[in-house]
Short mmCIF file of all heavy atoms in Angstrom, two decimals:
data_model
loop_
_atom_site.label_atom_id
_atom_site.label_comp_id
_atom_site.label_asym_id
_atom_site.label_seq_id
_atom_site.Cartn_x
_atom_site.Cartn_y
_atom_site.Cartn_z
N GLN A 163 0.82 -1.21 0.00
CA GLN A 163 0.00 0.00 0.00
C GLN A 163 0.85 1.26 0.00
O GLN A 163 0.40 2.33 -0.43
CB GLN A 163 -0.94 -0.02 1.21
CG GLN A 163 -2.03 -1.07 1.10
CD GLN A 163 -2.81 -1.26 2.39
OE1 GLN A 163 -2.32 -0.98 3.49
NE2 GLN A 163 -4.04 -1.73 2.27
N MET A 164 2.11 1.14 0.44
CA MET A 164 3.02 2.28 0.43
C MET A 164 3.83 2.37 -0.86
O MET A 164 4.65 3.28 -1.03
CB MET A 164 3.96 2.20 1.64
CG MET A 164 3.24 2.35 2.97
SD MET A 164 4.35 2.26 4.40
CE MET A 164 5.20 3.86 4.26
N GLY A 165 3.62 1.39 -1.76
CA GLY A 165 4.27 1.46 -3.06
C GLY A 165 5.37 0.46 -3.33
O GLY A 165 5.93 0.42 -4.44
N VAL A 166 5.73 -0.35 -2.34
CA VAL A 166 6.75 -1.38 -2.55
C VAL A 166 6.16 -2.48 -3.43
O VAL A 166 5.04 -2.94 -3.20
CB VAL A 166 7.22 -1.98 -1.21
CG1 VAL A 166 8.18 -3.15 -1.43
CG2 VAL A 166 7.88 -0.90 -0.36
N CYS A 167 6.92 -2.92 -4.43
CA CYS A 167 6.40 -3.89 -5.39
C CYS A 167 7.14 -5.22 -5.40
O CYS A 167 6.82 -6.10 -6.19
CB CYS A 167 6.45 -3.30 -6.81
SG CYS A 167 5.37 -1.88 -7.04
N VAL A 168 8.15 -5.37 -4.54
CA VAL A 168 8.94 -6.61 -4.51
C VAL A 168 8.87 -7.20 -3.10
O VAL A 168 9.12 -6.51 -2.11
CB VAL A 168 10.40 -6.35 -4.91
CG1 VAL A 168 11.20 -7.65 -4.85
CG2 VAL A 168 10.49 -5.74 -6.30
N VAL A 169 8.54 -8.49 -3.04
CA VAL A 169 8.41 -9.19 -1.77
C VAL A 169 9.23 -10.48 -1.82
O VAL A 169 9.07 -11.28 -2.73
CB VAL A 169 6.93 -9.54 -1.47
CG1 VAL A 169 6.81 -10.37 -0.20
CG2 VAL A 169 6.09 -8.28 -1.38
N ASP A 170 10.10 -10.67 -0.84
CA ASP A 170 10.83 -11.93 -0.73
C ASP A 170 9.94 -12.96 -0.04
O ASP A 170 9.20 -12.62 0.89
CB ASP A 170 12.10 -11.75 0.11
CG ASP A 170 13.10 -10.78 -0.51
OD1 ASP A 170 12.96 -10.46 -1.69
OD2 ASP A 170 14.03 -10.35 0.22
N SER A 171 10.05 -14.20 -0.45
CA SER A 171 9.29 -15.26 0.22
C SER A 171 10.00 -16.58 -0.01
O SER A 171 10.94 -16.68 -0.80
CB SER A 171 7.85 -15.33 -0.34
OG SER A 171 7.86 -15.67 -1.71
N ALA A 172 9.56 -17.62 0.70
CA ALA A 172 10.18 -18.94 0.59
C ALA A 172 9.10 -20.00 0.45
O ALA A 172 8.11 -19.98 1.19
CB ALA A 172 11.04 -19.24 1.82
N VAL A 173 9.28 -20.90 -0.48
CA VAL A 173 8.33 -22.01 -0.65
C VAL A 173 8.20 -22.77 0.68
O VAL A 173 9.19 -23.08 1.34
CB VAL A 173 8.80 -22.96 -1.76
CG1 VAL A 173 7.98 -24.24 -1.75
CG2 VAL A 173 8.68 -22.28 -3.12
N ALA A 174 6.97 -22.99 1.11
CA ALA A 174 6.65 -23.71 2.35
C ALA A 174 7.08 -22.96 3.60
O ALA A 174 7.03 -23.50 4.70
CB ALA A 174 7.24 -25.13 2.35
N GLY A 175 7.50 -21.71 3.43
CA GLY A 175 7.91 -20.91 4.58
C GLY A 175 9.16 -21.43 5.25
O GLY A 175 9.36 -21.25 6.46
N LEU A 176 10.05 -22.04 4.48
CA LEU A 176 11.28 -22.60 5.04
C LEU A 176 12.30 -21.49 5.31
O LEU A 176 12.20 -20.39 4.80
CB LEU A 176 11.86 -23.64 4.09
CG LEU A 176 10.96 -24.84 3.80
CD1 LEU A 176 11.63 -25.76 2.78
CD2 LEU A 176 10.65 -25.61 5.08
N GLY A 177 13.30 -21.81 6.10
CA GLY A 177 14.36 -20.84 6.38
C GLY A 177 14.46 -20.53 7.85
O GLY A 177 13.98 -21.27 8.70
N GLY A 178 15.10 -19.41 8.14
CA GLY A 178 15.31 -19.02 9.53
C GLY A 178 16.69 -18.42 9.68
O GLY A 178 17.37 -18.15 8.69
N CYS A 179 17.13 -18.22 10.91
CA CYS A 179 18.45 -17.63 11.16
C CYS A 179 19.06 -18.28 12.40
O CYS A 179 18.42 -18.30 13.45
CB CYS A 179 18.34 -16.12 11.35
SG CYS A 179 19.92 -15.35 11.75
N PRO A 180 20.29 -18.80 12.30
CA PRO A 180 20.91 -19.46 13.45
C PRO A 180 21.19 -18.52 14.62
O PRO A 180 21.39 -18.97 15.74
CB PRO A 180 22.22 -20.02 12.87
CG PRO A 180 22.50 -19.18 11.67
CD PRO A 180 21.16 -18.83 11.11
N TYR A 181 21.21 -17.20 14.35
CA TYR A 181 21.49 -16.24 15.41
C TYR A 181 20.21 -15.58 15.94
O TYR A 181 20.29 -14.62 16.69
CB TYR A 181 22.45 -15.16 14.90
CG TYR A 181 23.74 -15.76 14.39
CD1 TYR A 181 24.06 -15.71 13.04
CD2 TYR A 181 24.63 -16.39 15.26
CE1 TYR A 181 25.24 -16.26 12.57
CE2 TYR A 181 25.80 -16.95 14.81
CZ TYR A 181 26.11 -16.88 13.46
OH TYR A 181 27.27 -17.45 13.00
N ALA A 182 19.07 -16.09 15.51
CA ALA A 182 17.79 -15.56 15.99
C ALA A 182 16.93 -16.72 16.47
O ALA A 182 16.01 -17.15 15.79
CB ALA A 182 17.10 -14.78 14.87
N GLN A 183 17.29 -17.25 17.62
CA GLN A 183 16.61 -18.43 18.14
C GLN A 183 15.11 -18.17 18.32
O GLN A 183 14.70 -17.14 18.84
CB GLN A 183 17.21 -18.82 19.49
CG GLN A 183 18.66 -19.29 19.40
CD GLN A 183 18.84 -20.51 18.51
OE1 GLN A 183 18.01 -21.42 18.55
NE2 GLN A 183 19.88 -20.54 17.70
N GLY A 184 14.31 -19.13 17.85
CA GLY A 184 12.87 -19.04 18.01
C GLY A 184 12.16 -18.36 16.85
O GLY A 184 10.93 -18.41 16.76
N SER A 185 12.91 -17.71 15.96
CA SER A 185 12.25 -17.05 14.83
C SER A 185 11.91 -18.08 13.77
O SER A 185 12.61 -19.07 13.58
CB SER A 185 13.15 -15.97 14.24
OG SER A 185 14.31 -16.53 13.68
N SER A 186 10.81 -17.84 13.09
CA SER A 186 10.37 -18.77 12.05
C SER A 186 11.07 -18.45 10.74
O SER A 186 11.86 -17.51 10.64
CB SER A 186 8.86 -18.65 11.87
OG SER A 186 8.54 -17.37 11.34
N GLY A 187 10.73 -19.23 9.72
CA GLY A 187 11.30 -18.98 8.41
C GLY A 187 10.64 -17.79 7.73
O GLY A 187 9.75 -17.15 8.28
N ASN A 188 11.12 -17.52 6.53
CA ASN A 188 10.54 -16.45 5.73
C ASN A 188 9.08 -16.79 5.44
O ASN A 188 8.70 -17.95 5.41
CB ASN A 188 11.34 -16.30 4.44
CG ASN A 188 11.09 -15.00 3.72
OD1 ASN A 188 10.32 -14.16 4.18
ND2 ASN A 188 11.72 -14.83 2.58
N VAL A 189 8.27 -15.77 5.20
CA VAL A 189 6.86 -15.98 4.89
C VAL A 189 6.74 -16.91 3.68
O VAL A 189 7.56 -16.87 2.75
CB VAL A 189 6.16 -14.63 4.60
CG1 VAL A 189 6.74 -13.95 3.36
CG2 VAL A 189 4.67 -14.80 4.48
N SER A 190 5.75 -17.77 3.69
CA SER A 190 5.63 -18.76 2.61
C SER A 190 5.14 -18.11 1.32
O SER A 190 4.26 -17.25 1.33
CB SER A 190 4.68 -19.89 3.02
OG SER A 190 3.34 -19.50 2.90
N THR A 191 5.73 -18.55 0.23
CA THR A 191 5.34 -18.05 -1.09
C THR A 191 3.87 -18.34 -1.36
O THR A 191 3.15 -17.51 -1.93
CB THR A 191 6.22 -18.70 -2.18
OG1 THR A 191 7.60 -18.44 -1.88
CG2 THR A 191 5.89 -18.15 -3.56
N GLU A 192 3.42 -19.52 -0.94
CA GLU A 192 2.03 -19.91 -1.16
C GLU A 192 1.06 -18.91 -0.53
O GLU A 192 0.07 -18.51 -1.14
CB GLU A 192 1.77 -21.31 -0.60
CG GLU A 192 2.62 -22.41 -1.21
CD GLU A 192 3.90 -22.69 -0.43
OE1 GLU A 192 4.56 -21.71 0.01
OE2 GLU A 192 4.23 -23.87 -0.26
N ASP A 193 1.35 -18.51 0.72
CA ASP A 193 0.46 -17.60 1.44
C ASP A 193 0.47 -16.20 0.83
O ASP A 193 -0.56 -15.53 0.75
CB ASP A 193 0.84 -17.54 2.92
CG ASP A 193 0.65 -18.87 3.63
OD1 ASP A 193 0.27 -19.86 2.96
OD2 ASP A 193 0.88 -18.93 4.85
N VAL A 194 1.66 -15.76 0.41
CA VAL A 194 1.77 -14.45 -0.23
C VAL A 194 0.98 -14.44 -1.54
O VAL A 194 0.23 -13.50 -1.82
CB VAL A 194 3.25 -14.07 -0.49
CG1 VAL A 194 3.33 -12.78 -1.31
CG2 VAL A 194 4.00 -13.90 0.83
N LEU A 195 1.12 -15.48 -2.33
CA LEU A 195 0.40 -15.56 -3.60
C LEU A 195 -1.12 -15.56 -3.38
O LEU A 195 -1.86 -14.88 -4.09
CB LEU A 195 0.81 -16.82 -4.37
CG LEU A 195 2.19 -16.80 -5.01
CD1 LEU A 195 2.54 -18.17 -5.55
CD2 LEU A 195 2.27 -15.75 -6.11
N TYR A 196 -1.57 -16.32 -2.40
CA TYR A 196 -3.00 -16.39 -2.11
C TYR A 196 -3.54 -15.00 -1.77
O TYR A 196 -4.61 -14.60 -2.25
CB TYR A 196 -3.25 -17.37 -0.96
CG TYR A 196 -4.71 -17.59 -0.64
CD1 TYR A 196 -5.46 -18.50 -1.37
CD2 TYR A 196 -5.33 -16.88 0.39
CE1 TYR A 196 -6.81 -18.71 -1.08
CE2 TYR A 196 -6.67 -17.08 0.69
CZ TYR A 196 -7.41 -18.00 -0.05
OH TYR A 196 -8.73 -18.19 0.24
N MET A 197 -2.80 -14.25 -0.96
CA MET A 197 -3.23 -12.91 -0.60
C MET A 197 -3.21 -11.97 -1.81
O MET A 197 -4.18 -11.23 -2.05
CB MET A 197 -2.34 -12.33 0.50
CG MET A 197 -2.74 -10.92 0.92
SD MET A 197 -1.61 -10.15 2.11
CE MET A 197 -0.23 -9.73 1.03
N LEU A 198 -2.13 -12.02 -2.58
CA LEU A 198 -2.01 -11.13 -3.73
C LEU A 198 -3.11 -11.39 -4.75
O LEU A 198 -3.73 -10.45 -5.27
CB LEU A 198 -0.64 -11.28 -4.38
CG LEU A 198 0.57 -10.84 -3.54
CD1 LEU A 198 1.87 -11.09 -4.31
CD2 LEU A 198 0.46 -9.37 -3.15
N HIS A 199 -3.34 -12.65 -5.05
CA HIS A 199 -4.41 -12.98 -6.00
C HIS A 199 -5.77 -12.56 -5.45
O HIS A 199 -6.65 -12.14 -6.20
CB HIS A 199 -4.39 -14.49 -6.30
CG HIS A 199 -3.15 -14.94 -7.01
ND1 HIS A 199 -2.81 -16.26 -7.19
CD2 HIS A 199 -2.15 -14.22 -7.59
CE1 HIS A 199 -1.67 -16.35 -7.84
NE2 HIS A 199 -1.25 -15.13 -8.09
N GLY A 200 -5.91 -12.65 -4.14
CA GLY A 200 -7.18 -12.28 -3.52
C GLY A 200 -7.49 -10.80 -3.58
O GLY A 200 -8.67 -10.41 -3.52
N VAL A 201 -6.46 -9.96 -3.68
CA VAL A 201 -6.70 -8.52 -3.80
C VAL A 201 -6.59 -8.05 -5.24
O VAL A 201 -6.57 -6.85 -5.52
CB VAL A 201 -5.74 -7.70 -2.89
CG1 VAL A 201 -6.00 -8.02 -1.44
CG2 VAL A 201 -4.28 -7.94 -3.26
N GLY A 202 -6.52 -9.02 -6.17
CA GLY A 202 -6.55 -8.68 -7.59
C GLY A 202 -5.23 -8.34 -8.22
O GLY A 202 -5.19 -7.74 -9.30
N ILE A 203 -4.12 -8.70 -7.57
CA ILE A 203 -2.80 -8.43 -8.15
C ILE A 203 -2.37 -9.62 -8.98
O ILE A 203 -2.31 -10.75 -8.51
CB ILE A 203 -1.76 -8.15 -7.04
CG1 ILE A 203 -2.13 -6.86 -6.30
CG2 ILE A 203 -0.35 -8.04 -7.63
CD1 ILE A 203 -1.23 -6.55 -5.12
N GLU A 204 -2.06 -9.37 -10.25
CA GLU A 204 -1.61 -10.42 -11.15
C GLU A 204 -0.12 -10.66 -10.93
O GLU A 204 0.70 -9.76 -11.14
CB GLU A 204 -1.88 -10.03 -12.61
CG GLU A 204 -3.35 -9.96 -12.98
CD GLU A 204 -4.03 -11.32 -12.95
OE1 GLU A 204 -3.32 -12.33 -13.16
OE2 GLU A 204 -5.25 -11.38 -12.70
N THR A 205 0.24 -11.87 -10.53
CA THR A 205 1.65 -12.18 -10.27
C THR A 205 2.32 -12.94 -11.40
O THR A 205 3.55 -12.96 -11.50
CB THR A 205 1.78 -13.01 -8.98
OG1 THR A 205 1.13 -14.28 -9.20
CG2 THR A 205 1.14 -12.30 -7.79
N GLY A 206 1.52 -13.61 -12.21
CA GLY A 206 2.10 -14.46 -13.25
C GLY A 206 2.63 -15.77 -12.69
O GLY A 206 3.31 -16.52 -13.40
N VAL A 207 2.33 -16.05 -11.42
CA VAL A 207 2.83 -17.27 -10.77
C VAL A 207 1.67 -18.22 -10.53
O VAL A 207 0.61 -17.82 -10.05
CB VAL A 207 3.52 -16.94 -9.43
CG1 VAL A 207 4.05 -18.23 -8.78
CG2 VAL A 207 4.66 -15.95 -9.63
#
């Protein structure tokens, strides 16, 4: 909504950081796509 057009994501939400105990992985690509398609944004994915 602020104009950023690039979003990093990871399939199945995998990932994390060894120096950030307890943090989850990057947001899942599947969930981001579902939201984007739901608000009418064409991703081509």
Side-chain angles (χ1 to χ4, degrees):
Q163 290 170 335
M164 294 180 72
V166 175
C167 295
V168 180
V169 175
D170 297 345
S171 64
V173 169
L176 299 177
C179 177
Y181 303 112
Q183 294 300 320
S185 65
S186 67
N188 196 1
V189 64
S190 78
T191 303
E192 299 93 318
D193 295 3
V194 173
L195 287 171
Y196 184 83
M197 180 186 75
L198 294 178
H199 295 169
V201 296
I203 295 175
E204 293 293 333
T205 64
V207 181

